[in-house]
């Protein structure tokens, strides 16, 4: 099955520490996190767009404001799980998914990178 897919990139600055980790990442340190979200759909609107990039950017920025310039380890959503790239990707996915119901397009996956050459994805199965 063929589908359309778009992506939007954004970034935020945030510190974290990994509780239980044996190594320097157990200490508080920061990253310039890169985030990329991917939306998929079968059809476009009458203008030929899956969804307006402007709308997606606004929605993504609102989700990232909760993380930007924060100690992620202190935030309620990371009290029970470490703020790893994987868990940050999951948080962003769960925060954004309701904004893109599957009527025409849906959030397919979120990619989070804490530094060049590494990334974690959280995605919808299928």
């Amino acid at each position: 099955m063929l589908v359309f897919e778009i992506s939007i990139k954004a970034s935020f600055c945030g510190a974290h520490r990994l509780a239980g980790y044996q190594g320097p990442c157990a200490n508080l340190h920061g990253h310039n996190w890169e985030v990329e979200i991917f939306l998929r759909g079968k059809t476009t609107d009458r203008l030929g767009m899956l969804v307006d990039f402007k709308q997606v950017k606004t929605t993504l920025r609102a989700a990232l404001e909760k993380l930007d310039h924060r100690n992620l380890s202190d935030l309620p959503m990371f009290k029970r799980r470490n703020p790893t790239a994987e868990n940050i990707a999951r948080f962003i996915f769960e925060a954004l998914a309701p904004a893109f119901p599957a009527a025409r397009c849906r959030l397919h996956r979120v990619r989070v990178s804490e530094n060049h050459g590494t990334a974690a994805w959280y995605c919808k199965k299928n």
Side-chain angles (χ1 to χ4, degrees):
M1 170 174 57
L2 299 175
V3 297
F4 293 94
E5 184 171 83
I6 65 166
S7 72
I8 301 289
K9 291 182 181 180
S11 62
F12 71 94
C13 299
H16 71 155
R17 61 182 289 287
L18 300 180
Y21 184 81
Q22 300 299 312
C25 291
N27 300 317
L28 185 65
H29 63 285
H31 298 285
N32 293 318
W33 300 87
E34 293 182 2
V35 176
E36 186 171 13
I37 65 169
F38 299 82
L39 295 115
R40 277 189 179 176
K42 296 177 187 175
T43 62
T44 60
D45 65 12
R46 64 180 179 76
L47 297 175
M49 293 188 286
L50 181 63
V51 63
D52 189 342
F53 285 129
K54 184 178 177 181
Q55 174 194 349
V56 179
K57 287 178 185 179
T58 299
T59 304
L60 178 56
R61 266 191 242 112
L64 296 184
E65 281 179 9
K66 296 174 181 148
L67 307 175
D68 193 35
H69 286 83
R70 308 281 176 113
N71 177 352
L72 305 178
S73 299
D74 288 345
L75 298 177
M77 62 285 255
F78 298 116
K79 284 295 182 191
R80 292 194 191 124
R81 59 175 73 132
N82 274 323
T84 60
E86 293 88 344
N87 285 330
I88 294 167
R90 179 193 339 205
F91 166 76
I92 294 168
F93 187 99
E94 291 173 350
L96 294 178
F100 303 101
R104 192 176 70 247
C105 89
R106 65 177 170 82
L107 182 62
H108 177 65
R109 69 179 181 234
V110 173
R111 176 188 174 275
V112 172
S113 175
E114 62 183 31
N115 57 47
H116 183 71
T118 64
W121 282 263
Y122 189 80
C123 58
K124 182 173 178 70
K125 192 175 177 181
N126 294 333

